[in-house]
């Protein structure tokens, strides 16, 4: 029996790289789509090409774009995948306020282009996974949020993703597609992009402690999120497409932490206590106690965190907390990596990157 073929859009991203590894380990033939840019953007998957054991012969990379129907349909016709994982997107919420039209073209209409190509090419047996998001819940109307919770999106990104969510359901109902949405809550890792707040914090703290003690400038420290590990969530994606029928699933840890909590956990890794003072735009994070003072460029009393209005969203999402009981019951999925372990991985990675520069 030939290997199953999986097509991943957004393969050079955090999730795409973990998903590719997991599928290759299961014996899949993995095909990935990346956008053409003037810079190499394959850092997260370069190790796959370098692994001579079995990756190279089963891994293929193509240029394509979710805003280009012809490139999508041409690749689908050539590859004829058994499974499609649509992870490609303009995925930064703040950026979506600055580029709302591009976000719509990629995140909403990009999903439609894939589904319509599948229909035209008669890829009726191909399974389709759509990377949905907890941002759909926005200004939440219920806590925790599950598959039945009403959506209330608060950004162009979330609104574009809501279109994608419903067009997947429509093609499932109208044409009998095996098409499923994974409503993934926040998930991070050492491969997280540097512009996302968690990676901004871990990199910023590394710089603050060891290089030039420059404070980290952030936005809403009160925002609360349900953070998991990207690798755990990519395992859930695969399970969703192996389920006996197409359904939509919330993937989350069921535990919630604020941005402030995330910062505290990062400093605790270094046995440093940080104290937050003042409120609103005047809030600061001050180093209270350093238990191990070796090698640090800081001292007690130094300001580590500042707040700036420009990092607030025009419409904030204050709290997200997922209920993944459906996935745990039907998919036999549950998160394996704890919040503390996640933070440790990210901090250690950024320290290693600094040392190896």
């Amino acid at each position: 029996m030939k290997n199953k073929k999986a097509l991943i859009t957004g393969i050079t991203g955090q999730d795409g790289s973990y998903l590719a590894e997991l599928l290759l380990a299961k014996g899949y033939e993995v095909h990935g789509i990346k956008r053409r840019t003037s810079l190499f953007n394959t850092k997260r998957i370069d190790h796959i090409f370098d692994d001579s054991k079995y990756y190279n012969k089963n891994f293929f990379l193509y240029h394509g774009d979710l805003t280009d129907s012809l490139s999508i349909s041409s690749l689908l016709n050539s590859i004829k995948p058994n499974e499609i994982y649509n992870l490609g997107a303009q995925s930064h919420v703040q950026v979506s306020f600055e580029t709302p039209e591009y976000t719509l073209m990629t995140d909403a209409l990009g999903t439609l282009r894939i589904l319509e190509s599948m229909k035209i090419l008669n890829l009726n047996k191909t399974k389709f996974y759509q990377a949905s998001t907890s941002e759909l819940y926005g200004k939440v109307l219920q806590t925790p949020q599950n598959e039945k919770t009403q959506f209330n999106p608060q950004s162009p990104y979330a609104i574009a993703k809501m279109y994608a969510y419903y067009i997947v359901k429509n093609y499932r109902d109208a044409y009998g597609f095996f098409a499923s949405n994974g409503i993934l809550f926040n998930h991070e890792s050492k491969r997280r992009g540097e512009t996302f707040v968690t990676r901004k914090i871990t990199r910023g703290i590394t710089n603050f402690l060891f290089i030039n003690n420059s404070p980290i400038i952030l936005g809403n420290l009160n925002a609360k999120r349900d953070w998991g590990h990207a690798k755990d969530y990519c395992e859930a994606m695969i399970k969703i497409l192996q389920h006996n029928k197409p359904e939509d699933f919330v993937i989350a840890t069921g535990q919630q932490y604020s941005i402030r909590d995330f910062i505290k956990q990062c400093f605790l890794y270094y046995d440093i206590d940080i104290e937050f003072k003042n409120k609103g735009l005047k809030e600061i994070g001050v180093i209270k106690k350093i238990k191990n003072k070796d090698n640090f460029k800081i001292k007690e009393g130094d300001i580590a965190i500042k707040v700036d209005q420009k990092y607030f969203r025009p419409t904030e999402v204050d709290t997200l907390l997922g209920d993944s009981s459906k996935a745990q019951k039907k998919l036999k999925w549950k998160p394996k990596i704890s919040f503390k372990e996640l933070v440790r991985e990210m901090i250690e990675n950024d320290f290693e990157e600094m040392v190896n520069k």
Side-chain angles (χ1 to χ4, degrees), residues 274-291:
I274 183 170
E275 180 182 18
F276 288 89
K277 300 180 179 181
N278 308 326
K279 293 183 179 181
L281 296 177
K282 294 182 178 180
E283 184 171 6
I284 55 174
V286 179
I287 299 302
K288 183 179 180 181
K289 187 175 182 180
I290 305 172
K291 298 175 184 177

Side-chain angles (χ1 to χ4, degrees), residues 94-231:
Q94 183 67 43
V95 171
S96 76
F97 286 99
E98 301 164 8
T99 59
E101 183 178 346
Y102 176 73
T103 302
L104 173 71
M105 291 290 289
T106 305
D107 298 13
L109 298 184
T111 305
L112 174 64
R113 291 182 183 104
I114 297 174
L115 292 168
E116 186 64 12
S117 293
M118 288 170 63
K119 179 167 72 74
I120 293 170
L121 296 170
N122 294 316
L123 297 177
N124 301 321
K125 294 184 179 180
T126 298
K127 295 182 177 181
F128 179 83
Y129 170 85
Q130 170 62 21
S132 198
T133 170
S134 58
E135 288 287 332
L136 294 176
Y137 299 114
K139 198 170 184 64
V140 300
L141 303 173
Q142 170 189 323
T143 298
Q145 297 87 50
N146 59 34
E147 293 82 2
K148 296 181 180 179
T149 303
Q150 183 178 338
F151 297 150
N152 190 19
Q154 297 293 303
S155 66
Y157 166 76
I159 292 167
K161 283 288 192 175
M162 187 166 72
Y163 175 91
Y165 174 89
Y166 280 115
I167 202 65
V168 167
K169 288 175 67 72
N170 180 250
Y171 273 64
R172 183 168 72 209
D173 295 339
Y175 306 113
F177 279 19
F178 193 113
S180 300
N181 290 289
I183 307 173
L184 272 56
F185 280 64
N186 292 65
H187 47 288
E188 318 296 320
S189 75
K190 63 184 179 181
R191 300 179 188 176
R192 190 53 146 155
E194 297 172 9
T195 61
F196 290 86
V197 67
T198 51
R199 192 75 193 286
K200 181 179 178 181
I201 291 168
T202 58
R203 284 176 59 85
I205 287 174
T206 302
N207 181 74
F208 172 75
L209 293 177
F210 298 103
I211 300 177
N212 60 15
N213 82 337
S214 298
I216 306 147
I217 314 300
L218 300 170
N220 182 11
L221 302 183
N222 295 316
K224 295 180 180 179
R225 294 293 185 268
D226 182 331
W227 276 301
H229 195 288
K231 188 173 182 179

